[in-house]
Amino acid sequence: MYRKNAWEHLAEGEREQLMAFAEKYKAYIDAGKTERECVTEAVRLAKEAGFADLKEILKAGQPLKAGDRVYMAWMAKCIMLFIIGEKDIERGMNILGAHIDSPRIDIKQNPLYEDTGFAYLDTHYYGGIKKYQWVATPMALHGVVCMKDGSTVTLNVGEDENDPVFYISDLLIHLAGDQMGKPAAKVVEGEQLNIIIGSEPVKEEDKWTVKANVLKLLKEKYGMEEEDFISAEIECVPAGKSRDVGFDRSLIAGYGHDDRVCAYPSMAAVLDYEGTPAYTLCALLTDKEEIGSVGATGMGAKYFENTMAEIICAIKGKDEPLTLRRCLRNSRMLSSDVSAGFDPNFAGVFEKKNASIVGNGVTFNKFTGSRGKSGSNDCNAEFVAMVRRICDDANISWQTAELGAVDVGGGGTIAYICANYGMNCIDAGLPVLSMHAPWELISKADLWEEYKCYCAFLKGAEELEY
Ligand code: MN
Ligand code: MN
């Protein structure tokens, strides 16, 4: 079947472009370790690329016309970027969607306690993780503390070389006889993911306490009291920057490739788009995918539809509910999320003919789901044919895959939610090794082919007649 290794098919001089793009991606994921930080960074890049804030345009009652470049952030955790096209918007848009939340360890609302010389923060993990992977390694704390007076303090500790880091302990091997005999899910359990944040006590009312010292430091540095944790969102993530892997520097180990490795090139393809497109273009970066696309910032929420209603009103000069329906129905979307990269160390869970191979380029999943495609968006063959044509015409290395062998497991993405509008939607991402581990692995060649694919899709996708 059709497969080609991306490295073997690079054009003259393309390797330099590929490596340069990987550097930009690394800078993005190093700056964006939380969904909020990803949005902040996206807004910065959008402004730099000449995109205007749609909120301001709407507030001023200004119209939108072909060629306009706008962005809309939603609740500081999602962002949509648009370039208005020449054709009537009811003919649909070319959309690149991905999620910017990643598995992590969140701080509880009442987290701070002291035990036997340590000050700890208690946690509740977010998304599917192998908990034993997240211990005995340097961790950073990122987030916001929202005060009762309406102000917000931003927190980012553990990334700068001079910062302290934080630490979740594991049991020493010498005493781990019982632990080593446990199933992996029980080796480290959720309530054991307690983060060490200090151990030097201060004297308070004749008593030495570590907790009081930590509270004193938090007060000095952030002006926060213990109670303020209640209205905080603090995420504990692996500390440090993404790194090149291999003597050839062909791979990247990074935190949160799932799914920023799709989100960044989706955004970049729209930001880099030159001129006025035929169809309106959209990059849609959403939150909460890892916990089921729920909540006000998940793909299951209405923020995207609402934003489209506003855009149509700004283009047409009046609210046009039917145009909105037609626009969504006629749209084409690459719902981009990472695939399970074939791992020779664990070959048994894959069916190799239908696995995503690292280095073979952008990966299309006609369907995801598990146990008989359950929960999947099973993309129409007609649309698969269109993306094949677009990729081949643009000389892109691409492959198709399933998420593991049949009956082994599975997973879902945002594709099925967007497909609810009737739009044509296919999963398009790239292979990741060690998905949901603190440091995941991807190939720079796949990242490059993915970006090229997204650029070609924005130009080449059009309405489908059935
Ligand atoms: Mn994902
Ligand atoms: Mn995931």
Side-chain angles (χ1 to χ4, degrees):
M1 268 295 271
Y2 188 94
R3 288 222 190 262
K4 56 182 186 182
N5 182 282
W7 296 104
E8 296 170 15
H9 290 82
L10 293 176
E12 185 75 27
E14 202 179 346
R15 191 175 182 279
E16 286 66 43
Q17 287 175 279
L18 175 161
M19 288 293 176
F21 188 75
E23 290 309 306
K24 289 200 276 183
Y25 168 63
K26 283 160 62 187
Y28 183 73
I29 59 169
D30 291 342
K33 286 197 153 181
T34 66
E35 66 284 23
R36 284 177 189 264
E37 290 173 352
C38 283
V39 168
T40 303
E41 189 62 6
V43 167
R44 190 183 70 75
L45 293 168
K47 281 184 176 158
E48 219 175 79
F51 282 63
D53 188 345
L54 180 59
K55 272 190 199 134
E56 301 297 324
I57 288 172
L58 296 177
K59 213 182 286 170
Q62 290 166 348
L64 285 174
K65 58 176 190 318
D68 284 350
R69 294 162 177 254
V70 294
Y71 71 87
M72 172 79 121
W74 173 240
M75 281 187 166
K77 296 178 177 181
C78 305
I79 187 164
M80 298 154 278
L81 304 109
F82 300 92
I83 305 178
I84 308 301
E86 298 279 7
K87 291 185 197 285
D88 194 316
I89 194 145
E90 77 167 26
R91 296 181 62 183
M93 301 181 288
N94 291 342
I95 305 169
L96 301 170
H99 68 91
I100 47 176
D101 61 316
S102 296
R104 59 182 192 245
I105 299 176
D106 286 343
I107 307 305
K108 284 186 183 180
Q109 265 26 74
N110 182 15
L112 184 60
Y113 69 101
E114 175 168 352
D115 194 346
T116 328
F118 293 109
Y120 286 103
L121 289 178
D122 202 344
T123 69
H124 192 147
Y125 60 95
Y126 173 96
I129 61 170
K130 290 177 167 181
K131 293 177 278 276
Y132 65 80
Q133 293 178 330
W134 294 69
V135 296
T137 186
M139 301 295 284
L141 293 175
H142 294 236
V144 293
V145 185
C146 298
M147 305 298 186
K148 280 200 289 188
D149 67 4
S151 63
T152 295
V153 177
T154 306
L155 190 137
N156 180 337
V157 188
E159 301 298 347
D160 191 275
E161 256 176 61
N162 301 312
D163 278 356
V165 294
F166 306 93
Y167 192 87
I168 304 171
S169 63
D170 193 5
L171 182 58
L172 63 166
I173 184 69
H174 315 70
L175 300 180
D178 282 352
Q179 187 198 35
M180 296 297 281
K182 288 181 183 177
K186 301 266 178 196
V187 165
V188 173
E189 301 203 55
E191 285 297 353
Q192 289 172 321
L193 294 175
N194 300 315
I195 307 167
I196 293 173
I197 58 163
S199 71
E200 181 186 347
V202 286
K203 197 168 185 185
E204 208 184 57
E205 292 162 7
D206 284 345
K207 213 178 111 209
W208 288 88
T209 113
V210 180
K211 181 176 163 178
N213 197 17
V214 165
L215 280 172
K216 185 170 143 270
L217 293 168
L218 288 175
K219 180 76 185 169
E220 279 168 17
K221 189 126 204 262
Y222 302 105
M224 72 180 283
E225 311 279 349
E226 184 173 6
E227 239 186 51
D228 295 323
F229 277 112
I230 290 170
S231 49
E233 285 178 355
I234 303 173
E235 306 178 10
C236 181
V237 298
K241 290 181 173 11
S242 54
R243 301 286 296 268
D244 288 350
V245 174
F247 288 114
D248 55 9
R249 296 181 172 267
S250 60
L251 304 152
I252 303 169
Y255 165 67
H257 285 319
D258 177 6
D259 184 33
R260 293 156 193 162
V261 77
C262 296
Y264 178 74
S266 293
M267 171 177 72
V270 171
L271 292 181
D272 297 346
Y273 193 94
E274 286 175 9
T276 301
Y279 294 98
T280 295
L281 309 183
C282 171
L284 164 55
L285 310 188
T286 191
D287 181 31
K288 299 278 190 283
E289 193 276 342
E290 296 294 356
I291 57 168
S293 297
V294 291
T297 55
M299 198 64 240
K302 296 280 184 272
Y303 70 87
F304 172 62
E305 189 181 323
N306 292 345
T307 303
M308 287 318 302
E310 297 279 7
I311 284 180
I312 287 167
C313 186
I315 291 172
K316 303 283 187 181
K318 61 182 196 308
D319 183 20
E320 290 193 1
L322 183 59
T323 304
L324 172 65
R325 297 287 133 220
R326 288 177 177 161
C327 169
L328 294 170
R329 179 193 74 196
N330 290 332
S331 287
R332 291 72 50 183
M333 179 175 188
L334 297 183
S335 152
S336 293
D337 209 340
V338 293
S339 282
F342 179 81
D343 187 339
N345 280 342
F346 301 96
V349 298
F350 298 92
E351 188 271 286
K352 206 170 177 182
K353 303 191 300 309
N354 290 286
S356 181
I357 310 285
V358 171
N360 279 6
V362 59
T363 301
F364 294 102
N365 288 75
K366 185 175 183 299
F367 51 85
T368 55
S370 49
R371 296 172 305 281
K373 301 189 180 181
S374 181
S376 161
N377 160 52
D378 195 352
C379 169
N380 274 8
E382 287 86 343
F383 189 52
V384 181
M386 182 190 288
V387 298
R388 279 176 63 198
R389 172 183 57 74
I390 290 169
C391 286
D392 282 345
D393 287 353
N395 198 27
I396 285 153
S397 296
W398 61 275
Q399 54 186 326
T400 60
E402 291 193 36
L403 213 167
V406 177
D407 282 344
V408 170
T413 66
I414 61 168
Y416 77 96
I417 303 167
C418 300
N420 284 338
Y421 292 115
M423 66 176 72
N424 281 286
C425 191
I426 187 168
D427 282 296
L430 57 69
V432 172
L433 259 55
S434 308
M435 197 192 295
H436 287 201
W439 300 100
E440 306 171 313
L441 190 70
I442 60 117
S443 154
K444 292 181 183 177
D446 296 333
L447 172 64
W448 176 242
E449 297 299 325
E450 184 191 35
Y451 169 69
K452 280 166 46 189
C453 163
Y454 294 169
C455 292
F457 179 83
L458 291 180
K459 284 209 163 72
E462 48 200 24
E463 298 139 280
L464 262 177
E465 297 293 339
Y466 285 92

